[in-house]
């Protein structure tokens, strides 16, 4: 992404470039052990138009780095290589299968006088390793969600099938990566939970039970409201990546047309069902359509002794979304979908308005919202719960944060410090801009607070954070 | 006093004298000098922005310790500033043409000095070079910090642990990685694994590689590699280094450096333990500079008086600056060997930050055989031994006349103090540096940090704080860390840098009040902490 810096006003035009994806590849060093066969090691390479020998050389460098690092730490594999111009991230998700992502450092291009070519200055300290290592891992998790492991493709159809699958998946997926807006939330990869009173929660649970009982084909169910999770029957790690897919890819794709207005051509055709607002986000767009196809995306989730393949049905009514997962061995028919629509549609519509009403009441009780003096990110490693008042809205394309990127990076620095020792810690820093940043780690939970109280001292900042913990987190953090 | 040996001032032995003074002192010497603090950051910007201060109205130059003489120690460009360095060098080149002219001659001497190793071997302390380690063993791998130096041909020059021979293939790989990335018009910086990082520094014709198994940041490790680089240059000069490798690309530099590894070992040891390295600071101000000033000679560039690990005074020729890196290398040289006690030594030395290309000639002697006080007179003239010796005598005479000598010796008796003197409960240790004078003070390590392991851990924590405070892109004003083993507070203003270590029982309120109290205490004790107040004629 190119941004023109404000300094252009001074007459010197500087161009600022944010970090960007240079290349992404997958290789297996055992696939071309003979000299001259190195190309066989490469299973996927983006961009594909790179010259063959160049690809081989770049993979060779990664192999060398990995091997060299083993000299010093045989049990801990190399994770990143820093160079002046870029950073490379390595991840070995399955034995001998390496995924590599190369990110170009942000840079500033300064025009020079006398018609010389502009000089480029790389900002080598801007990219946080933890953030992009997490992004790389997520690339693999997302591949695995829709394709199963690399090993599975190898068993089913050898290298040929694997390369096909990699090509098909990553060609599209890499275009959705927005490296310039990645931050601490990518490191956590958490799930935002919808806060709810007990009664409404029980209503949802009984809804899930009823549906699963009536439609016995359903193996797992997940329930979301407003892009936030309420109920899930999946394993945590599976839900984490499914949640990511739903909230950053599937939901935004469908909500953008909804927001487009009544007369917009983007607005989906109303299904013609006046009894409820339910509709399929995956599978058939309109049940009445005689041409409708009953194909759903397949996903892979962990099961006893391996993975199971499932159909993913996502059904939405107003702000409530229910995901139903059914074994892939079953063929889904029109009859099943009509049955589901008839059963779930009215109930989900009702439930959605219930939740909405409850939510509004709760908000009214908690009083009128004042612009708070602080913003925070909270993450719980045990249940993956995350909460951020820093991020306005995370969609597929943009992640809007309400604070300066440098402050976000300070949060990242503190997070790195926390990761180094396995004990409870607290870090309070004052940035050059006079913002205070507080990080707390206690018993698997992490909290980061940014305070805009320039004249406060350490003690006042501490008091402020204590108050925040008491009101928002029921005093989870006791460390003083 | 009888000169060490007049033959020492004759050509072939000059380098030898430097390389063969190899008996190590038993104890780890403390450094007196260190790095410029704002190494990578835009110093000017920080100065302007860091305006806050615990005492209102306190500006740079008025903080505690600032009143001490500051002119004696000038911070030149920090080492990363290579463009500035080149310009500086060019400027100085002219002045030092004389010594430069000697270089080629010296090179011949060095290259033909085949028996050098043999001559030195008996001097090398076996204790410091316990290198016979299996380089594939877990023990070798688990060393906290490895340092390797190699030539651009991939030939091993130095390794901190194990033997160079056993590591030649590893170093070959290092060089291959460096050249591969270079071939793409890029520069390799570092490799990271969980809890381990490998940092590369290419300084043609040398390549330095550091491997840290602790959580030391790349920047910290890099500055240490720079130090090692300058250490090697100080023995040979860059001109010689370049010349050697131009003549023979795969020259085995160990032949020239044999017997000097202890200097590098020692330097690495200091880097791990000495807080002064972190701050760009020295512990002692001007005391007897007047006496030193009077003892001048035409070719004398710098006069340095050390007391063990601390700088007492430095007198320089007008318009000449001695960079703290150079000064520290002098400290390391003197502190690494006890043979200078035997008389007056005359040795060539390159001060790489001053001029990478040529040798100075240093007259090194202790004021009294059993004294801690060591005088170093740096001259541009290699035939100047007797002149320097005479300077020293003049200095001694003046000193004793004014009874300053006695006073100085008295003050040296109690150089360190326990932190309890400050009277702040839960305060375990601190580092304080006045920015304008470049002086720093720090109490003894308390009981909790007495073991080498704990000392290094505390230093690691300070390094981490320092690294956060001086981040090149997002520096900080305050950093407070509350952990299970200690609480730490760092505070950087335009006037000073302060790092405090509290027991884990210390509260934030205590930390805040401790800062005010400590600053008051430092101001009160200023004269004593930064040791003697200047004497006047």
């Amino acid at each position: 992404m190119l941004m023109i810096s404000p300094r252009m006003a001074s007459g010197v035009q500087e161009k600022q470039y944010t970090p960007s994806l240079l290349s992404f590849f997958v290789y297996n060093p055992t696939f071309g052990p003979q000299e001259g066969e190195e190309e066989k090691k490469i299973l996927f390479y983006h961009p594909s138009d790179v010259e063959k020998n160049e690809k081989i050389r770049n993979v060779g460098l990664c192999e060398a780095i990995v091997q060299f690092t083993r000299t010093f730490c045989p049990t801990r594999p190399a994770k990143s290589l820093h160079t002046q111009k870029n950073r490379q991230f390595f991840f070995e998700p399955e034995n001998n299968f390496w995924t590599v992502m190369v990110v170009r450092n942000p840079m500033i291009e300064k025009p020079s006088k006398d018609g010389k070519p502009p000089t480029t200055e790389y900002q080598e300290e801007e990219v946080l390793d933890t953030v992009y290592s997490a992004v790389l891992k997520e690339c693999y998790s997302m591949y695995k969600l829709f394709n199963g492991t690399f090993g599975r493709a190898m068993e089913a159809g050898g290298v040929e099938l694997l390369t096909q699958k990699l090509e098909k998946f990553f060609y599209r997926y890499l275009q959705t990566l927005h490296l310039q807006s990645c931050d601490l939330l990518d490191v956590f990869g958490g799930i935002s939970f919808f806060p709810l009173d007990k009664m409404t929660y029980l209503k949802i649970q009984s809804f899930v039970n009823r549906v699963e009982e009536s439609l016995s084909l359903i193996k797992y169910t997940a329930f979301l409201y407003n892009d936030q999770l309420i109920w899930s029957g999946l394993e945590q790690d599976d839900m984490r990546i499914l949640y990511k897919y739903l909230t950053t890819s599937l939901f935004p794709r469908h909500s953008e047309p909804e927001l487009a207005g009544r007369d917009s051509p983007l607005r989906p055709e109303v299904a013609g069902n006046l009894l409820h607002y339910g509709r399929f986000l995956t599978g058939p767009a309109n049940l009445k359509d005689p041409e409708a196809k009953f194909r759903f995306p397949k996903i892979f989730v962990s099961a006893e002794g391996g993975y199971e393949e499932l159909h993913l049905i996502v059904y939405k009514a107003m702000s409530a979304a229910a995901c139903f997962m059914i074994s892939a061995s079953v063929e889904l028919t029109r009859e099943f979908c009509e049955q589901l629509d008839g059963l779930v549609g009215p109930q989900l519509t009702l439930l959605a308005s219930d939740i909405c009403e409850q939510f509004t009441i709760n908000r009214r009780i908690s009083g009128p919202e004042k612009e708070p003096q602080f913003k925070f990110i909270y993450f719980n490693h045990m249940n993956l719960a995350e909460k951020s008042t820093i991020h306005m809205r995370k969609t597929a394309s943009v992640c809007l944060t309400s604070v300066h990127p440098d402050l976000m990076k300070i949060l990242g620095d503190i997070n790195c410090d926390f990761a180094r020792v396995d004990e409870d810690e607290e870090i309070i820093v004052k940035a050059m801009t006079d913002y205070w940043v507080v990080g707390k780690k206690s018993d698997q939970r992490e909290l980061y607070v940014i305070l805009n109280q320039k004249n406060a001292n350490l003690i006042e900042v501490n008091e402020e954070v204590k108050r925040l913990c008491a009101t928002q987190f029921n005093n989870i953090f006791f460390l003083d | 006093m009888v000169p060490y040996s007049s033959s020492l001032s004759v050509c072939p032995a000059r380098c030898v004298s430097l390389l063969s003074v190899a008996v190590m002192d038993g104890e780890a010497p403390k450094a007196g000098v260190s790095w410029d603090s704002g190494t990578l950051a835009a110093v000017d910007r920080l100065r302007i922005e860091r305006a806050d201060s615990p005492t209102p109205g306190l500006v740079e130059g008025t903080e505690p310790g600032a009143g001490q003489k500051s002119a004696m120690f000038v911070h030149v460009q920090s080492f990363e500033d290579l463009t500035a360095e080149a310009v500086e060098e060019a400027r100085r080149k002219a002045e030092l043409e004389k010594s430069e002219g000697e270089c080629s001659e010296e090179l011949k001497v060095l290259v033909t000095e085949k028996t050098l190793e043999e001559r030195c071997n008996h001097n090398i302390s076996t204790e410091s070079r316990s290198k016979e380690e299996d380089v594939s063993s877990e023990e070798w791998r688990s060393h906290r910090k490895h340092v390797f130096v190699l030539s651009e041909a991939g030939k091993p020059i130095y390794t901190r642990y194990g033997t160079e021979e056993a590591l030649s293939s590893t170093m070959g790989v290092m060089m291959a990685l460096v050249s591969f990335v270079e071939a793409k018009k890029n520069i390799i910086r570092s490799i990271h694994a969980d809890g381990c990082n490998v940092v590369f520094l290419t300084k043609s014709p040398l390549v330095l590689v550091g491997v840290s198994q602790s959580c030391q940041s790349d920047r910290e490790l890099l500055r240490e590699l720079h130090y090692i680089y300058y250490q090697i240059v100080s023995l040979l000069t860059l001109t010689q280094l370049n010349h050697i490798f131009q003549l023979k690309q795969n020259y085995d530099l160990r032949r020239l450096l044999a017997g000097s590894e202890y200097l590098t070992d020692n330097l690495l040891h200091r880097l791990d333990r000495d807080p002064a390295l972190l701050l760009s600071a020295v512990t002692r101000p001007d005391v007897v500079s007047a006496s030193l000033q009077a003892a001048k000679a035409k070719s004398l560039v710098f006069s340095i008086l050390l007391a063990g690990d601390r700088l007492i005074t430095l007198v320089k020729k007008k318009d000449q600056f001695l960079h703290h890196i150079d000064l520290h290398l002098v400290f390391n040289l003197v502190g690494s060997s006890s043979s200078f006690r035997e008389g007056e030594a005359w040795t060539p030395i390159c001060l790489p930050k001053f001029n990478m290309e040529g040798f100075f000639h240093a007259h090194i002697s202790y004021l009294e055989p059993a004294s801690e006080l060591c005088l170093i007179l740096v001259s541009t003239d290699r035939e100047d031994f007797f002149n320097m010796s005479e300077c020293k005598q003049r200095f001694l005479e003046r000193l004793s006349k004014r009874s300053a000598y006695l006073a100085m010796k008295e003050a040296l008796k109690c150089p360190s103090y326990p932190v309890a003197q400050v009277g702040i409960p839960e305060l375990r240790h601190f580092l304080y540096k006045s920015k304008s004078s470049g002086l720093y003070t720090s109490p003894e390590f308390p009981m909790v940090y007495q073991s080498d392991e704990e000392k290094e851990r505390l230093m690691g924590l300070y390094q981490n704080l320092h690294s956060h405070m001086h981040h090149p892109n997002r520096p900080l004003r305050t950093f407070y860390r509350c952990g299970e083993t200690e609480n730490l507070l760092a505070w950087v203003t335009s006037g000073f840098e302060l790092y405090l270590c509290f027991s884990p029982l210390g509260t934030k309120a205590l930390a805040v009040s401790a800062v005010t109290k400590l600053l008051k205490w430092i101001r009160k004790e200023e004269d004593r902490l930064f040791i003697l107040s200047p004497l006047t004629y």
Side-chain angles (χ1 to χ4, degrees):
Chain A
M1 200 161 88
L2 172 72
M3 293 189 298
I4 304 292
S5 91
R7 259 182 274 181
M8 63 182 281
S10 64
V12 194
Q13 272 215 2
E14 273 185 8
K15 282 183 194 164
Q16 265 186 355
Y17 296 88
T18 55
S20 61
L21 183 70
L22 274 185
S23 57
F24 183 98
F25 45 96
V26 181
Y27 72 91
N28 187 323
T30 62
F31 285 2
Q34 309 291 326
E35 227 174 280
E37 308 190 317
E38 287 88 352
E39 201 187 359
K40 290 186 182 166
K41 294 176 183 173
I42 307 170
L43 300 166
F44 172 75
Y45 202 105
H46 163 89
S48 54
D49 56 0
V50 171
E51 194 253 323
K52 185 183 106 182
N53 285 323
E54 177 73 6
K55 288 181 185 171
I56 291 172
R57 273 198 297 273
N58 289 339
V59 167
L61 174 66
C62 296
E63 282 187 77
I65 296 283
V66 167
Q67 201 53 43
F68 170 70
T69 311
R70 290 203 174 112
T71 320
F72 298 99
C73 30
T75 53
R76 292 161 296 166
K79 288 175 91 177
S80 70
L81 167 70
H82 296 198
T83 68
Q84 181 200 24
K85 295 183 180 173
N86 57 50
R87 294 236 180 142
Q88 310 200 6
F89 300 92
F90 313 101
F91 178 49
E92 186 189 19
E94 294 172 39
N95 210 7
N96 284 323
F97 285 98
W98 287 85
T99 52
V100 181
M101 181 169 78
V102 187
V103 178
R104 197 199 54 210
N105 280 328
M107 54 185 195
I108 300 173
E109 211 178 73
K110 289 177 182 161
S112 32
K113 290 156 203 156
D114 329 320
K116 281 182 205 145
T119 55
T120 309
E121 193 183 285
Y122 289 91
Q123 295 177 296
E124 298 186 44
E125 304 267 357
E126 283 295 288
V127 169
L128 288 176
D129 272 13
T130 44
V131 170
Y132 294 96
S133 288
V135 170
L136 176 60
K137 280 186 184 164
E138 203 178 76
C139 287
Y140 170 74
S141 301
M142 202 60 94
Y143 169 87
K144 201 178 68 175
L145 179 69
F146 291 105
N147 297 279
T149 59
F150 295 158
R152 185 186 165 273
M154 286 296 294
E155 275 169 34
V159 178
E160 206 177 317
L161 181 68
L162 177 60
T163 48
Q164 266 174 29
K165 279 180 173 290
L166 288 168
E167 196 69 47
K168 197 173 156 211
F169 176 79
F170 282 113
Y171 173 73
R172 277 183 298 171
Y173 184 71
L174 293 178
Q175 295 176 17
T176 68
L177 285 183
H178 293 274
L179 297 184
Q180 74 279 1
S181 57
C182 292
D183 61 32
L184 190 59
L185 278 194
D186 295 275
V187 177
F188 295 144
I191 296 171
S192 176
F193 286 92
F194 189 79
L196 212 55
D197 63 301
K198 276 204 188 82
M199 265 318 288
T200 323
Y201 184 78
L202 284 174
K203 272 188 199 166
I204 291 164
Q205 206 171 22
S206 81
F207 160 77
V208 171
N209 289 339
R210 272 200 313 276
V211 175
E212 283 187 357
E213 206 170 294
S214 322
L215 303 166
S216 57
L217 282 179
I218 295 171
K219 273 196 108 163
Y220 308 101
T221 308
F223 193 101
L224 294 94
Y225 186 86
N226 253 354
D227 288 9
Q228 289 176 302
L229 188 66
I230 294 178
W231 204 90
S232 157
L234 283 177
E235 291 282 332
Q236 238 174 41
D237 273 335
D238 292 325
M239 192 59 230
R240 163 190 259 178
I241 193 71
L242 178 62
Y243 177 80
K244 178 84 185 180
Y245 163 70
L246 294 173
T247 54
T248 62
S249 175
L250 187 70
F251 292 163
R253 246 187 287 149
H254 287 271
S255 67
E256 273 151 28
E258 274 174 20
L259 296 170
R262 187 184 294 271
D263 301 322
S264 161
L266 278 173
R267 195 175 167 83
E269 219 178 298
V270 178
N273 194 335
L274 297 173
L275 295 171
H276 62 81
Y277 291 99
R279 64 192 176 99
F280 287 93
L281 292 194
T282 60
N286 184 355
L287 277 178
K288 297 280 187 309
D289 181 358
E291 301 287 300
K293 295 266 190 329
F294 297 91
R295 277 208 306 267
F296 293 88
K298 304 236 176 65
I299 59 165
F300 291 78
V301 301
S302 51
E304 267 172 62
Y307 281 87
E308 60 180 323
E309 195 177 352
L310 303 165
H311 294 288
L312 173 67
I313 301 173
V314 183
Y315 191 89
K316 198 174 178 190
M318 298 193 285
S319 291
C323 305
F324 302 107
M325 284 149 272
I326 293 167
S327 172
S329 56
V330 181
E331 205 185 318
L332 296 178
T333 59
R334 175 185 290 271
E335 289 67 44
F336 178 80
C337 291
E338 280 172 354
Q339 199 188 347
L340 189 141
D341 184 60
L343 178 74
V344 174
Q347 291 192 48
L348 195 61
T349 307
L350 209 62
L351 213 45
S353 58
D354 272 6
I355 299 170
C356 181
E357 197 175 312
Q358 203 55 49
F359 182 61
T360 333
I361 292 171
N362 287 347
R363 247 166 109 178
R364 216 174 294 139
I365 293 168
S366 67
E369 260 184 46
K370 260 195 320 197
E371 177 65 19
Q373 288 287 304
F374 52 79
K375 297 211 155 76
F376 69 86
I377 294 181
Y378 165 84
F379 180 68
N380 184 338
H381 288 268
M382 280 179 295
N383 62 1
L384 306 181
E386 113 191 336
K387 195 172 178 184
S388 168
T389 60
I390 289 172
H391 297 78
M392 258 96 85
R393 185 189 162 84
K394 206 160 181 170
T395 67
S397 52
V398 258
C399 169
L400 291 170
T401 57
S402 49
V403 300
H404 192 273
D406 273 356
L407 280 175
M408 283 310 292
K409 279 175 194 135
I410 290 176
L411 295 190
D413 291 338
I414 295 176
N415 169 257
C416 289
D417 263 23
F418 283 163
R420 297 187 337 183
V421 274
D422 192 26
E423 38 179 76
D424 290 359
E425 265 192 307
E426 178 178 11
I427 290 175
I428 304 178
V429 309
K430 191 183 194 190
M432 276 299 157
T433 47
D434 281 333
Y435 277 95
W436 286 89
V437 178
V438 180
K440 272 170 179 270
K441 183 177 111 181
S442 168
D443 189 27
Q444 304 282 320
R445 296 176 178 89
E446 291 181 39
L447 173 70
Y448 301 85
V449 188
I450 297 172
L451 290 125
N452 180 17
Q453 290 174 333
K454 306 206 172 193
N455 296 319
N457 67 22
L458 192 64
I459 302 165
E460 287 155 1
V461 166
N462 191 47
E463 289 304 316
E464 191 64 39
V465 174
K466 262 191 195 163
R467 265 199 298 281
L468 169 73
C469 288
T471 54
Q472 299 266 349
F473 302 103
N474 298 318
N475 288 314
I476 290 164
F477 299 96
F478 294 112
L479 198 74
D480 188 29
Chain B
M1 219 177 283
V2 184
Y4 193 49
S5 149
S6 59
S7 73
L8 270 183
S9 64
V10 183
C11 194
R14 284 186 299 146
C15 275
V16 180
S17 69
L18 173 64
L19 297 176
S20 62
V21 280
V23 189
M24 249 186 74
D25 289 333
E27 57 185 296
K30 272 196 169 183
V33 199
S34 155
W35 303 89
D36 200 288
S37 54
T39 46
L40 290 160
V43 178
D44 289 343
R45 191 175 118 211
L46 302 193
R47 285 242 169 94
I48 295 158
E49 289 178 8
R50 276 192 183 125
D52 70 339
S53 152
T55 32
L58 179 77
V59 290
E60 188 173 355
T62 64
E63 76 277 7
Q68 305 293 318
K69 187 99 164 71
S70 61
M72 61 162 219
F73 190 70
V74 181
H75 300 272
V76 200
Q77 300 291 331
S78 55
F79 63 85
E80 290 82 357
D81 203 344
L82 297 176
T83 47
E85 189 174 81
V87 177
E88 286 283 286
E89 261 160 34
R91 192 176 61 76
R92 285 171 186 149
K93 226 174 185 171
E95 291 168 34
L96 284 155
E97 227 142 24
K98 199 172 173 189
S99 55
E100 208 182 310
E102 291 169 333
C103 283
S104 52
E105 187 188 326
E106 234 137 18
L107 178 63
K108 274 178 230 144
V109 171
L110 280 163
V111 175
T112 52
E113 194 66 57
K114 292 264 161 80
T115 54
L116 194 59
E117 286 169 56
E118 290 146 49
R119 284 206 213 172
C120 305
N121 278 346
H122 67 279
N123 270 330
I124 300 165
S125 155
T126 46
E127 187 194 30
S128 71
R129 302 293 293 168
S130 55
K131 299 195 102 178
E132 301 304 321
E133 266 184 70
D134 179 3
V135 299
S136 58
S137 70
E138 186 52 41
E139 195 200 344
W140 180 83
R141 269 200 293 267
S142 59
H143 282 297
R144 229 174 51 85
K145 191 187 298 167
H146 285 276
V147 172
F148 307 93
V149 183
L150 43 144
S151 71
E152 281 176 324
K155 273 238 174 196
I157 294 172
Y158 171 83
T159 173
R160 192 180 189 187
Y161 303 107
T163 61
E164 289 83 8
E165 290 81 5
L167 288 161
S168 64
S169 68
T170 304
M171 296 208 208
V173 174
M174 291 172 178
M175 195 54 232
L177 294 176
V178 169
S179 354
F180 186 91
V181 177
E182 223 166 56
K184 297 173 148 275
K185 297 194 173 54
N186 200 346
I187 306 164
I188 190 167
R189 302 288 196 213
S190 58
I191 300 172
H192 296 248
D194 274 328
C196 170
N197 50 346
V198 184
V199 173
F200 294 83
L201 172 65
T202 38
K203 282 280 202 183
S204 182
L206 303 181
V207 173
L208 298 97
V209 182
V211 180
S212 167
Q213 303 275 6
S214 58
C215 296
Q216 205 176 20
S217 75
D218 286 7
R219 269 170 289 144
E220 299 294 335
L221 200 49
L222 197 60
R223 69 163 52 164
E224 298 187 4
L225 293 182
H226 270 100
Y227 237 129
I228 304 302
Y229 168 72
Y230 286 121
Q231 169 66 56
I232 292 170
V233 171
S234 84
L235 294 170
L236 295 171
T237 75
L238 186 60
T239 315
Q240 275 202 29
L241 264 180
N242 284 331
H243 193 79
I244 290 164
F245 287 107
Q246 269 158 24
L247 284 180
K248 201 177 168 207
Q249 215 199 340
N250 63 350
Y251 183 78
D252 187 353
L253 197 67
R254 282 178 305 155
R255 281 158 65 188
L256 285 182
L257 295 174
S260 73
E261 298 94 333
Y262 73 97
L263 284 172
T264 311
D265 290 344
N266 222 15
L267 187 59
L268 282 165
H269 188 81
R270 281 171 180 239
L271 287 161
D272 282 342
R273 313 282 171 86
D274 197 327
L277 285 164
L278 207 56
L279 313 163
S280 130
V282 287
T283 45
R284 296 254 340 203
D286 208 345
V287 182
V288 267
S289 55
S291 302
L292 264 181
Q293 259 163 350
K296 58 187 167 195
K298 202 172 122 251
S299 58
L300 184 62
V301 196
F302 300 112
S303 313
I304 306 160
L305 186 62
L306 306 180
D309 49 13
R310 289 163 304 146
L311 176 71
I312 293 180
T313 190
L314 185 152
V315 176
K316 57 191 176 49
K317 223 178 192 149
K318 210 179 158 198
D319 300 330
Q320 302 293 0
F321 300 104
L322 186 57
H323 193 278
H324 51 264
I325 291 178
D326 287 341
L327 191 51
H328 188 68
L329 291 174
V330 171
F331 276 39
N332 191 48
L333 172 69
V334 173
S336 297
S337 164
S338 58
S339 68
F340 292 117
R341 293 192 168 278
E342 288 160 19
E344 294 174 63
W346 182 238
T347 175
I349 181 171
C350 170
L351 300 174
K353 290 304 286 187
F354 190 90
N355 179 350
M356 303 252 259
E357 323 240 307
F359 279 116
F360 283 105
H361 302 273
H363 179 278
I364 302 171
S365 63
Y366 282 82
L367 294 189
E368 284 173 34
S371 163
E372 277 290 282
L373 292 163
C374 182
L375 180 67
I376 299 133
L377 302 167
V378 180
S379 161
T380 52
D381 185 354
R382 61 191 253 218
E383 307 297 344
D384 224 16
F385 176 84
F386 292 103
N387 254 332
M388 291 302 112
S389 189
E390 202 186 299
C391 278
K392 181 199 169 184
Q393 289 311 322
R394 284 210 307 273
F395 167 66
L396 276 177
E397 277 160 28
R398 277 185 171 264
L399 207 55
S400 48
K401 250 187 232 162
R402 314 216 172 234
S403 72
Y405 194 32
L406 266 179
M408 183 167 65
K409 283 203 288 191
E410 197 57 39
L412 284 172
K413 278 181 191 161
C414 47
S416 63
Y417 53 95
V419 71
Q421 275 191 14
V422 188
I424 298 172
E426 313 299 344
L427 179 64
R428 283 181 177 174
H429 192 251
F430 69 88
L431 308 177
Y432 171 86
K433 183 195 151 193
S434 149
K435 278 192 175 172
S436 54
S437 66
L439 297 170
Y440 104 97
T441 182
S442 176
E444 295 154 6
F445 280 104
M447 278 311 286
V448 233
Y449 303 108
Q450 272 306 317
S451 72
D452 280 354
E453 208 175 80
E454 281 298 297
K455 229 178 250 177
E456 283 180 19
R457 196 179 66 79
L458 180 63
M459 275 308 296
L461 291 169
Y462 281 141
Q463 280 193 355
N464 179 271
L465 286 187
H466 185 266
S467 191
H468 274 293
M469 301 308 284
H470 297 283
H471 192 285
N473 297 350
R474 28 185 197 279
L476 303 171
R477 291 184 199 278
T478 313
F479 191 111
Y480 182 83
R481 161 182 279 147
C482 174
E484 283 174 8
T485 42
E486 57 271 296
N487 295 342
L488 297 158
L489 173 65
W491 193 346
V492 177
T493 73
S494 57
F496 63 85
E497 276 181 53
L498 183 57
Y499 300 85
L500 305 116
C501 171
F502 297 93
S503 92
L505 300 173
T507 61
K508 293 173 191 94
L510 179 103
V512 171
S513 67
V515 171
T516 324
K517 199 165 171 190
L518 181 63
L519 288 175
K520 261 189 205 147
W521 184 82
I522 291 172
R523 191 179 291 285
K524 194 175 109 225
E525 303 284 325
E526 202 167 49
D527 291 349
R528 190 172 63 87
L529 291 180
F530 303 106
I531 316 207
L532 307 169
S533 48
L535 296 180
T536 47
Y537 277 108

